[in-house]
């Protein structure tokens, strides 16, 4: 006897993940398809968007075998820019989210033409490497023949929806990261700027992530082995689906996503803007976000593991033994530039205090603490913008092991809730799909299993170290910029 279930698929930076979940939240099956992004030149990060559909089909066939799939949920990294022609054939590889920093010249030009403050007022965010609108402008400027063929804009979730249902839609949240093409106040595309920046591009109609975009077509059913006619939700960007997977979507909530990069999403009932943060529309109607994202976090620890040839558990044990302050080391974690709140793609990593007595465990501890200090910097910026953080929920692979979340709570002075299931965006997409076919509550699906409470003596110690950390970026930025320019040359 088969169990009624929903399918959730998320297209990530390094892999696509799928889950089959019972209508009560029980995780029935999981599967992963690994892939790589392309980095044709420094600052450019791309991917063949056709892979997103190929991997979805593979995941659906594996996970849906002998299952009674009632609905499909999708999400993906973003904001990405996949431009396709009138026949839905991509005109070039997809330009990825904030890790791609190619649009520096377009950002400067658009700020000069439209006004930086007006862009922030209307769109909610400053122009940065995260802004999809500036990347569309790059394609128009640098590849005009390709842009002339472009008619539609897709992101991973909307590309899957198109292939599954034939519908051309995008969710409001993803649109709000297409700065400066979307008006956060009106919850719609801003026609004058859209026509100026993306002439000839037919921007998609907008829905909310949990709304049903359409039903699975007969053609998609043949390709995926899923039942024709089941509803497919509109979906959204992965970090917002991940916040939904752990119930961090109510006003006052802050989600910390521990992964290759670190992402922070604070939810509020009112729209706010602030320099150095992304002010977006929320995943649910009537909510807004102040969001931040670090360019590296787990990427640094992965780099260290590869550099020293040691495993995760071994280095984590050694880092725990290093103690607070990493035996006198302090690190600036801007190894791939930095997004919020400094918004500096030419920032670089710094390690201060090295001596011949330091070990790889000290370095690993310094990396964990560096990301904690950067999280605190973002949290202080959110509060300066008027954010009222009342609950912190942690999610992601970096929550395993306990040390990293302990360090972050001690540095920020904030407790963190960890839910029973920390699979991520695919689970959040499955949850939205379940809501499309019946009642579903995240507290029933995914209850809180642990609370990480800050230790008062550690909080006081890290306060002193954080004051030193605050001096690192302004003291080294000009040197880092010269070195970054040399690297790019």
């Amino acid at each position: 006897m088969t169990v009624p279930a929903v399918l959730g698929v998320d297209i990530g930076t390094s892999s696509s993940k799928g889950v089959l979940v019972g209508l009560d939240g029980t995780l029935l099956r999981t599967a992963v398809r690994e892939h790589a992004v392309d980095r044709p030149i420094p600052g450019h990060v791309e991917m063949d968007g056709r892979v997103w559909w190929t991997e979805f089909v593979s995941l659906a066939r594996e996970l849906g075998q002998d299952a009674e799939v009632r609905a499909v949920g999708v999400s993906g990294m973003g904001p990405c820019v996949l431009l396709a022609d009138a026949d839905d054939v991509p005109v070039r590889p997809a330009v990825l989210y904030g890790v791609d920093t190619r649009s520096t010249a377009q950002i400067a030009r658009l700020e000069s033409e439209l006004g930086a403050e007006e862009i922030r007022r209307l769109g909610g965010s400053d122009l940065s490497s995260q802004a999809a609108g500036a990347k569309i402008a790059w394609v128009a400027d640098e590849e005009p023949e390709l842009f002339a063929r472009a008619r539609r804009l897709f992101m991973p979730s909307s590309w899957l929806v198109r292939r599954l249902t034939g519908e051309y839609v995008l969710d409001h949240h993803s649109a709000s990261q297409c700065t400066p093409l979307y008006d956060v106040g009106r919850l719609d595309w801003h026609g004058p700027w859209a026509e100026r920046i993306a002439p000839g591009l037919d921007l998609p109609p907008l829905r909310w992530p949990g709304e049903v975009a359409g039903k699975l077509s007969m053609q998609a059913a043949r390709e995926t082995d899923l039942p024709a006619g089941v509803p497919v939700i509109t979906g959204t960007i992965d970090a917002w689906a991940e916040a939904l997977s752990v119930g961090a979507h109510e006003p006052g909530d802050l989600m910390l996503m521990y992964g290759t990069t670190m992402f922070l999403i604070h939810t509020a009932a009112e729209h706010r803007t602030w320099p150095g943060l992304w002010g977006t529309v929320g995943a649910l109607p009537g909510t807004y976000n102040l969001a931040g994202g670090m360019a590296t976090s787990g990427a640094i620890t992965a780099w260290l593991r590869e550099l020293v040839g040691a495993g995760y558990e071994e280095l984590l044990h050694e880092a725990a033994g290093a103690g607070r302050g990493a035996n006198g080391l302090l690190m600036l974690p801007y190894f791939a530039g930095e997004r919020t709140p400094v918004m500096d793609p030419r920032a670089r990593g710094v390690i201060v205090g090295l001596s011949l007595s330091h070990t790889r465990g000290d370095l690993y501890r310094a990396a964990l603490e560096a990301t904690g200090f950067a999280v605190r910097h973002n949290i202080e910026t959110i509060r300066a913008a008027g954010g009222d953080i009342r609950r912190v929920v942690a999610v992601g692979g970096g929550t395993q092991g306990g040390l990293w979340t302990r360090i972050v709570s001690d540095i920020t002075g904030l407790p963190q809730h960890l839910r029973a299931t920390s699979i991520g965006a695919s689970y959040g997409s499955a949850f939205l799909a379940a809501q499309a076919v019946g009642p579903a509550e995240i507290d029933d699906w995914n209850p809180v299993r642990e609370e990480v409470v800050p230790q008062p003596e550690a909080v006081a110690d890290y306060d002193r170290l954080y004051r030193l950390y605050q001096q690192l970026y302004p003291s080294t930025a000009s040197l880092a910029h010269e070195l970054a320019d040399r690297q790019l040359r």
Side-chain angles (χ1 to χ4, degrees), residues 357-433:
S357 65
H358 282 112
T359 68
R360 64 189 190 183
D362 297 328
L363 283 168
Y364 205 78
R365 175 80 182 215
L368 297 178
E369 291 180 342
T371 59
F373 291 133
V375 167
R376 178 168 171 175
H377 190 189
N378 274 280
I379 285 173
E380 290 183 348
T381 307
I382 289 170
R383 284 174 166 160
D388 178 20
I389 298 170
R390 299 192 292 272
R391 183 178 66 151
V392 180
V393 184
V395 68
T399 62
Q400 307 302 313
L403 180 60
W404 201 359
T405 51
R406 158 65 52 207
I407 287 171
V408 170
S409 276
D410 288 342
I411 288 175
T412 62
L414 294 171
Q416 299 174 75
H417 287 171
L418 277 70
R419 298 269 183 169
T421 299
S422 186
I423 291 174
S426 56
Y427 191 76
S429 297
F431 173 69
L432 285 180

Side-chain angles (χ1 to χ4, degrees), residues 4 25 74 81 90 107 131 140 215 230 296 303 332 338 354 362 392 444:
V74 291
V81 173
I107 290 169
K215 294 185 177 181
V230 299
T296 56
W303 170 74
L332 192 66
E338 187 54 305
L354 277 169
D362 297 328
V392 180
D444 296 330

Side-chain angles (χ1 to χ4, degrees), residues 98-99 260-262 293-297 299 333-340:
V99 294
T260 304
T261 66
M262 180 78 78
M294 295 157 52
T296 56
S297 54
Y334 300 164
F335 281 47
E338 187 54 305
R339 294 191 282 174
T340 65

Side-chain angles (χ1 to χ4, degrees), residues 78-301:
C80 299
V81 173
L82 177 63
L83 299 177
D85 64 18
D87 297 318
D88 291 335
V89 177
V91 302
R92 69 171 327 281
V95 181
L96 299 196
Y97 55 100
V99 294
D100 181 285
T101 59
R102 73 182 66 199
S103 56
T104 304
Q106 286 70 34
I107 290 169
R109 173 171 62 80
L110 291 171
E111 286 182 336
S112 174
E113 293 176 357
L114 306 176
E117 290 190 8
E118 183 64 8
I119 290 171
R120 189 188 314 130
R121 183 196 68 79
L122 187 139
S125 304
D126 293 320
L127 283 179
S128 70
S129 65
Q130 189 79 352
K135 294 177 183 183
I136 293 171
W138 183 91
V139 178
D141 288 349
E142 300 297 326
E143 299 173 344
E145 292 184 2
L146 294 179
F147 187 77
R149 291 168 42 205
R151 291 295 177 271
R152 298 189 180 110
L153 166 67
F154 293 100
M155 296 192 192
S157 57
S158 62
W159 180 250
L160 295 182
V161 166
R162 181 68 166 175
R163 297 299 302 267
L164 287 166
T165 69
E167 297 293 332
Y168 179 46
V169 297
L170 186 68
D171 68 287
H172 280 279
H173 169 72
S174 297
S176 73
Q177 292 215 42
C178 291
T179 315
L181 304 182
Y182 182 88
D183 185 335
V184 174
R186 292 179 51 248
L187 300 178
D188 202 357
W189 298 113
H190 184 57
W193 288 359
E195 182 58 33
R196 179 172 184 164
I197 295 165
L201 204 61
D202 178 20
L203 295 175
L206 299 172
R207 308 267 180 88
W208 292 101
E211 285 188 79
V212 174
K215 294 185 177 181
L216 196 77
S217 69
M218 292 296 297
Q219 174 64 30
R222 284 191 291 270
E223 292 189 58
T224 62
D225 291 336
L226 296 173
V230 299
V232 179
I233 63 161
T234 301
T236 190
I237 289 174
D238 53 5
W240 274 256
E242 192 145 8
L244 290 164
S245 79
V246 291
H249 53 72
E250 298 294 334
D253 286 347
L254 175 73
M255 184 202 72
L256 293 182
M257 186 176 77
Y258 292 75
T260 304
T261 66
M262 180 78 78
F263 218 89
L264 307 90
I265 303 175
H266 171 60
T267 302
E270 310 87 25
H271 171 49
R272 297 180 184 275
T273 64
W274 195 260
L277 292 173
W278 302 313
T280 71
V281 172
L284 301 180
T287 63
Y288 298 87
N289 299 123
L290 284 170
M294 295 157 52
T296 56
S297 54
I300 301 176
T301 58

Side-chain angles (χ1 to χ4, degrees), residues 392-479:
V392 180
V393 184
V395 68
T399 62
Q400 307 302 313
L403 180 60
W404 201 359
T405 51
R406 158 65 52 207
I407 287 171
V408 170
S409 276
D410 288 342
I411 288 175
T412 62
L414 294 171
Q416 299 174 75
H417 287 171
L418 277 70
R419 298 269 183 169
T421 299
S422 186
I423 291 174
S426 56
Y427 191 76
S429 297
F431 173 69
L432 285 180
Q435 286 191 320
V437 293
E441 297 292 337
I442 200 62
D443 287 337
D444 296 330
W445 268 48
N446 196 11
V448 174
R449 66 168 172 83
E450 181 185 350
E451 184 178 26
V452 182
V453 180
Q455 307 165 96
E457 69 279 6
V459 172
D461 198 8
Y462 278 128
D463 277 345
R464 291 186 287 270
L465 289 170
Y466 181 66
R467 287 195 287 272
L468 297 178
Y469 172 86
Q470 287 178 298
Q471 300 175 46
L472 272 185
Y473 175 67
S475 298
T476 61
S478 61
L479 293 174

